[in-house]
Structures are given as structure tokens and as C-alpha cells.
Amino acid sequence: MKNDNVLPLLISSFIFIYYIQLTSCKEGVQMRMVEEPVNMGQWNNDVAATDVLTPKVKPSNFSGPPHLRTLLGKCLQVVENSYKYEVCPFQNITQHEQSNRWNPYSGILGNWYEWEIENNTFVAMLYKNGDDCGLKSRQVSVKLQCGTKTAIVSVSEPDTCCYAMNISTPLVCHPDSLLVYPTLSKPLQQKWNALEGRLYREEVTRQGYNKMLHKIFEEAGLVMDPTFVPKNDRHPLAGETKFENVDTCQESYNNLLQEVERLRGIITAEDVNNGAHDEANGPY
């Protein structure tokens, strides 16, 4: 074979191999849920990264209306504004940018956490402790509405990294389908009955009533302790403190500085007293 025939053949072979690599990268984006690869530089010559989305925390246990248990193990998908959203009820919610740019975003918006409850009604499913977003974590509020089929109806981002979703399903079409009281055990129902009596007799304030009712919901596993911070969501340098914003962090920092100065003053005073004592007594 002549050399002038070998060169075009080699070039064709390299083009074919490069095409296979790109095709493999594209197909990798279609993997489901948390196993979907993070698309880092997939349009370079290298094969797409094989990293997977890793939740910071485990989802909470199933809770709420028992008829919603049929949603376990099922995932819903929708594409809006070049993003694919995937909701796996009582598990997690992910977002995948449908883009051919070098570094499209793929991440976890939230992990199943607790219910939002108002007036004896399950108002929304709260998915928290998603991927980091500056000084906070991404989170999603999911509201259920009556519909002929189970599907994602809408997705929005009212605040930065705080998402809102509406999901339709025939499972909530009955007027009592989202009531809280029927889902409680008999002992917890009795506790709630007794608490209502105390409120009626003015033996407890409305604020005290709300705190006690929240405790009942905690016992039922419907909500989490508001003071609880998941271990994996704590910053290694923050100890047990979680700052909601820069202002509270700065305030805490200033308080620590004042405490350090106070302790330094005590140490300095002790050193002065010890020095005066040594001078008065002379050398040993």
C-alpha cells in the first residue's frame, strides 16, 4: 500500500474513534437519578467523567398519608427551560442541564426531609439538604394537587436555590386525602385530643399549643426537630453552629472576638499578679 493511501485511512480511523467517544458521552447523560454522571468537560477529547451525584444526607423515612406509598420507587420527569427535573417521591429531586456546552450542570436539588403542615393538612413535601449553593443548601417545596395522572405540572425558582414544584395525582383528589389526624396512631390522636382540650380551657397558650403539636408530629415522623442539623450538613469548622446568613456569622464572630479579648485580659491580670507576688517574696 502506498504512503499516500495510508494517511487518509489513519485520519478516517481517528475520526471514527473520536465520534465513538462523543457518542458514549452523550449516552451517559441519560443515566437515571443519582447515577447520572456529572458532565465535566465531556466535549473534550477525554471520555466523560464517571463521577456520580452523591447526596449529602440520607432521605427521611416514608411518612404521611399511607395511600401515597404507591409513589415509592417511581420517578417523574419533565424538561423545562433546558433543564431536566426528576422527582423520586420520598427520595430526592435532581436537575440536569440539557446543554452541549463544556460543563452543563447536574445536581441534587433536595432530599426528602419532612412535611409542611397547616390546619390539620399536609400542605407540601419539603426536600432539603441539596447541593451547596453559596452559604446555604438547595431545597424544594412540592405541592400535590388533584389530577387525572401523576405528573410534574410546574417548576419554578421563587428565590435563589429555593425551588417550587406542583405535582398532579389522582391520589389526592378525595377531600380528606391530605388530612393529618387520620394518619396518626391512636396514642398520638389521644395526645392531640387532650391538647385541644387544654387549649379550649385556656390551660396553654397558642404558642405553647403549637410547640406541643409540633412534638406530636415529630413523634409521628412527619416533621423533624427544628433544632436538628444533619451531621453531613455541618461545616467541619463550624462545630454545632449553622449560620443562616453572613450577618449572623459576623455577629457570632464579633462575640467570639470579645470573649477572646476578655480571656486575654484575665490572663494578663494573672501574669501581673504572679509577677508582683514573686518580687515581694524574692528568689527562692
Side-chain angles (χ1 to χ4, degrees):
M1 182 179 294
K2 296 183 179 180
N3 292 335
D4 55 351
N5 293 330
V6 173
L7 184 58
L9 180 60
L10 289 176
I11 294 175
S12 300
S13 299
F14 281 124
I15 292 175
F16 177 76
I17 294 173
Y18 186 61
Y19 172 78
I20 293 298
Q21 289 179 336
L22 290 179
T23 305
S24 299
C25 293
K26 293 179 181 178
E27 291 177 350
V29 178
Q30 301 305 318
M31 294 176 67
R32 190 178 66 83
M33 273 307 297
V34 183
E35 296 179 354
E36 186 155 354
V38 180
N39 302 318
M40 300 293 289
Q42 69 176 46
W43 295 109
N44 288 345
N45 291 335
D46 298 332
V47 178
T50 56
D51 295 337
V52 296
L53 303 179
T54 304
K56 293 193 297 184
V57 297
K58 293 182 179 180
S60 301
N61 295 327
F62 172 86
S63 64
H67 55 276
L68 295 184
R69 190 178 290 273
T70 58
L71 297 177
L72 276 173
K74 299 179 180 178
C75 295
L76 312 173
Q77 294 183 3
V78 69
V79 176
E80 284 197 12
N81 299 322
S82 300
Y83 285 96
K84 182 181 74 175
Y85 297 90
E86 189 161 28
V87 180
C88 295
F90 305 102
Q91 292 294 321
N92 54 46
I93 299 177
T94 59
Q95 180 190 54
H96 307 283
E97 184 178 356
Q98 305 297 287
S99 171
N100 291 338
R101 68 186 182 93
W102 177 79
N103 186 18
Y105 172 78
S106 287
I108 297 176
L109 301 186
N111 298 283
W112 164 239
Y113 192 71
E114 64 180 353
W115 285 96
E116 179 183 348
I117 298 175
E118 293 180 5
N119 300 324
N120 188 29
T121 304
F122 292 108
V123 175
M125 304 173 70
L126 302 181
Y127 292 76
K128 298 184 178 182
N129 304 310
D131 289 347
D132 291 338
C133 181
L135 297 176
K136 60 182 180 180
S137 298
R138 299 175 189 272
Q139 60 181 4
V140 189
S141 174
V142 178
K143 292 189 176 182
L144 303 177
Q145 63 186 55
C146 176
T148 56
K149 64 178 182 178
T150 301
I152 301 173
V153 176
S154 63
V155 182
S156 62
E157 189 176 358
D159 296 308
T160 303
C161 299
C162 294
Y163 305 83
M165 287 188 176
N166 288 307
I167 293 180
S168 67
T169 175
L171 297 173
V172 298
C173 288
H174 191 279
D176 296 335
S177 60
L178 291 176
L179 291 181
V180 177
Y181 186 86
T183 68
L184 301 179
S185 64
K186 290 297 181 182
L188 291 181
Q189 288 181 351
Q190 293 172 358
K191 280 188 178 182
W192 196 349
N193 294 340
L195 183 57
E196 290 290 340
R198 293 184 61 189
L199 180 65
Y200 177 79
R201 295 189 296 272
E202 298 183 351
E203 297 175 358
V204 62
T205 64
R206 172 60 67 173
Q207 183 178 4
Y209 168 87
N210 290 335
K211 288 184 177 179
M212 294 178 188
L213 186 58
H214 195 279
K215 287 293 183 183
I216 292 176
F217 294 158
E218 285 182 40
E219 288 187 53
L222 303 176
V223 299
M224 300 294 291
D225 182 346
T227 62
F228 171 74
V229 179
K231 182 177 180 181
N232 291 340
D233 202 35
R234 298 171 184 160
H235 193 282
L237 300 181
E240 296 297 320
T241 304
K242 182 178 180 182
F243 302 110
E244 295 297 332
N245 51 56
V246 176
D247 292 336
T248 57
C249 178
Q250 184 65 47
E251 181 182 357
S252 180
Y253 175 73
N254 292 336
N255 292 336
L256 286 175
L257 283 183
Q258 293 176 6
E259 180 65 12
V260 169
E261 292 301 322
R262 186 183 71 83
L263 293 175
R264 282 177 176 170
I266 294 175
I267 294 174
T268 301
E270 288 292 330
D271 290 342
V272 171
N273 291 336
N274 291 336
H277 181 270
D278 292 341
E279 291 180 1
N281 294 323
Y284 289 104

